[in-house]
Amino acid sequence: MEQRRADFENFVAQNTDALVRTAYLIVWDLPEAEDLVQEALLKVARRWHRVRRMEHPVAYARRILVNLALGGAERRSRRRQELTGEALADRHDQRTESNPVETQDELMRALAALPPRQRTVLVLRYFLDLPEAEVAAAMKCSLGTVKSTASRGLARLEQTMRTTNDTRSIPT
Amino acid sequence: MTEQLQTELRAALRERAAQVPAASIARLAHLDYHPRTRRLRPPVAIGALAGAAGTAGAVAVVISLSAGASNAFAGWSPTPTRPGPDQLAAASADCQTQSPISGLPLKLADTRGPFTFSVYADANSSATCIKGPTFTAVSNNTTSAPITVPAGHILLSSSHASNRGGAAYSWADGRTGDGVSAVTLNLDDGDTVQATVANGWFVAWWPGAHDVKSAAITTAAGTTTQTFDLGHQSPCGPMPCAGGEGGRSSSVANGVGGGGPVSASGSSSIIGPATGSASGHSSASGAGSGSSQGGAQSYGISR
């Protein structure tokens, strides 16, 4: 029993950082991300006697986290678009010229506005660098769905960036 | 463009992820996620108490808690207990000074040993306050419109929290529909907790982080067992949940129900004798065992 608990504590110590940052990118809100990670780890703890025997316990934790995050994602997305969109719009109004920071701000805003599933795929692929098969496992969907969702997400980001650049280049 | 976009995307994600404070990660990494395993019930104790009828469960649990990993909740019982002299007054004095509660009328107070769990609410806002020997913790929720629960049902909000001493506790509170006279919660580990019911509200809490699986709801027509899907995005489900659905959230829940859009939000904090730190929507202050570590919250309506 003591060894099992020690294993779990070691698991938490090793993986909390990545889980919190991943959750933060998916839900775009720190308190929400903290709660999701706490809830996910509580669930892992309850099943640790089985999870610890898995080849990749963190993949299991990630799957729970993604499931929890997407479970309430739609309403959060609406709220986030209202809040973050306004905040970033204010910053945008104050800018006068294009620079790399500006581009990243636009990208951040575009990311925040993505549908939750598209952003989740992109976070798992481009932040965690997971292979598509592992993304599919984390999201409990097919490989084809991952490919198409990622493709749509990137296209949407690209479109947003292109529109922004076009707008920016219009002489005043 | 796509390759460039992917490069920029990786950089943007890294930058965004770097905004997570180290303190947030450290806090989560040091929580005790094993607050309570299945309760240990020594055979001798069970045998000795087997004939004690109604009190057997309560005593067995007290024994198990004192024998378990944490005695932070010593004195807790799965059934409400009679409050001690001045217990309610002391809890009220402590709780009503907290801003989430100020101005809200008291709906009910649940006492279990030295702990008093109070619910304050008006039509759109509610706040809970748990006062124990070493800490006082407050949480609150608001909804954008009053919610009416169907007769014979309950709207349940379930939350988990843990203190710095490594002891987790959970609670469920919410509104009762007309005719509900008693509620007993069945946890996912098989244990049961009897709620306090009054004034259209119920509340129960328990050590540990087990979820509510179902509830036995008593009305004049008898007792029915109703299950919950706390992860359900539409907790009103097929029920005519007038005023809208509750949603499921740790901090914000909203949705559109039969009565129009309703949103709910909440936060929690714990009050102690010393200054401390705050993180996100959950804040913590105090010393020793009297400090909240935040929590997770779910909503569901009985089906």
Side-chain angles (χ1 to χ4, degrees):
Chain A
M1 182 67 81
E2 287 303 312
Q3 184 57 46
R4 184 191 295 176
R5 180 178 284 244
D7 287 348
F8 178 77
E9 287 173 358
N10 192 39
F11 169 83
V12 170
Q14 288 180 355
N15 296 291
T16 300
D17 187 296
L19 290 172
V20 176
R21 295 185 198 281
T22 302
Y24 180 52
L25 292 173
I26 291 174
V27 301
W28 220 256
D29 178 86
L30 185 58
E32 184 77 21
E34 289 176 342
D35 283 352
L36 289 173
V37 170
Q38 185 172 340
E39 192 171 351
L41 288 175
L42 281 168
K43 287 179 183 291
V44 171
R46 261 181 249 153
R47 297 158 192 155
W48 184 244
H49 62 287
R50 290 199 307 269
V51 177
R52 68 197 290 252
R53 292 196 294 266
M54 295 177 179
E55 190 175 357
H56 301 294
V58 69
Y60 178 79
R62 198 184 297 129
R63 190 162 72 240
I64 290 177
L65 183 67
V66 168
N67 187 43
L68 289 171
L70 291 178
E74 190 176 334
R75 59 178 161 66
R76 281 195 302 270
S77 176
R78 284 197 302 271
R79 177 175 161 79
R80 185 165 48 249
Q81 283 175 39
E82 291 165 9
L83 299 183
T84 311
E86 280 178 16
L88 289 177
D90 289 344
R91 293 169 61 188
H92 177 68
D93 291 343
Q94 295 165 7
R95 288 197 296 264
T96 55
E97 59 184 283
S98 173
N99 59 44
V101 173
E102 200 170 54
T103 303
Q104 206 154 50
D105 270 2
E106 296 300 344
L107 196 49
M108 291 282 196
R109 184 153 79 158
L111 270 168
L114 280 182
R117 293 190 73 82
Q118 288 180 14
R119 188 172 53 256
T120 301
V121 168
L122 296 184
V123 167
L124 298 178
R125 281 287 287 132
Y126 296 104
F127 175 66
L128 292 182
D129 283 324
L130 293 183
E132 287 173 332
E134 288 187 33
V135 176
M139 297 184 69
K140 293 196 273 192
C141 64
S142 70
L143 200 57
T145 301
V146 169
K147 289 176 190 284
S148 61
T149 307
S151 176
R152 282 198 300 275
L154 287 173
R156 195 156 168 166
L157 290 182
E158 193 168 7
Q159 175 66 31
T160 304
M161 300 300 288
R162 188 182 299 130
T163 304
T164 302
N165 289 334
D166 291 346
T167 305
R168 194 180 287 139
S169 62
I170 296 172
T172 56
Chain B
M1 176 64 180
T2 299
E3 198 169 315
Q4 182 189 341
L5 177 63
Q6 290 176 359
T7 303
E8 289 175 356
L9 175 58
R10 287 181 202 278
L13 290 171
R14 277 198 303 272
E15 183 189 308
R16 175 82 179 175
Q19 293 175 4
V20 176
S24 170
I25 293 163
R27 184 182 69 78
L28 285 163
H30 288 94
L31 288 180
D32 183 355
Y33 295 96
H34 283 98
R36 185 189 65 167
T37 54
R38 291 192 69 81
R39 289 173 180 155
L40 304 174
R41 298 186 181 188
V44 173
I46 290 175
L49 295 165
T55 60
V59 177
V61 170
V62 172
I63 289 170
S64 73
L65 285 169
S66 60
S70 168
N71 63 359
F73 303 116
W76 176 89
S77 69
T79 54
T81 56
R82 187 184 298 274
D86 302 327
Q87 184 173 350
L88 295 179
S92 177
D94 240 22
C95 296
Q96 288 192 310
T97 60
Q98 310 307 323
S99 58
I101 288 172
S102 180
L104 290 176
L106 177 67
K107 290 296 180 183
L108 77 169
D110 170 284
T111 52
R112 295 168 198 269
F115 303 93
T116 305
F117 201 120
S118 307
V119 176
Y120 298 82
D122 60 16
N124 290 359
S125 303
S126 68
T128 61
C129 178
I130 179 171
K131 177 173 170 52
T134 59
F135 70 100
T136 302
V138 175
S139 69
N140 73 303
N141 283 287
T142 58
T143 58
S144 62
I147 292 175
T148 303
V149 180
H153 288 78
I154 61 176
L155 175 67
L156 179 144
S157 165
S158 174
S159 304
H160 303 298
S162 56
N163 66 20
R164 195 168 290 162
Y169 63 96
S170 306
W171 71 94
D173 67 299
R175 293 170 174 82
T176 57
D178 287 346
V180 174
S181 58
V183 176
T184 299
L185 303 177
N186 302 307
L187 307 186
D188 62 7
D189 66 343
D191 288 328
T192 61
V193 183
Q194 185 182 330
T196 296
V197 178
N199 297 319
W201 283 82
F202 75 94
V203 68
W205 73 276
W206 54 96
H210 286 280
D211 288 325
V212 178
K213 189 177 176 185
S214 63
I217 299 174
T218 302
T219 65
T223 298
T224 57
T225 298
Q226 295 168 1
T227 58
F228 297 91
D229 179 0
L230 293 178
H232 203 289
Q233 283 205 62
S234 179
C236 288
M239 300 306 304
C241 188
E245 65 188 52
R248 176 207 160 276
S249 173
S250 57
S251 57
V252 176
N254 60 45
V256 178
V262 170
S263 63
S265 63
S267 64
S268 61
S269 62
I270 194 159
I271 299 93
T275 58
S277 60
S279 173
H281 71 99
S282 297
S283 61
S285 64
S289 60
S291 294
S292 170
Q293 296 291 323
Q297 190 173 63
S298 306
Y299 292 86
I301 194 165
S302 53
R303 302 185 291 183

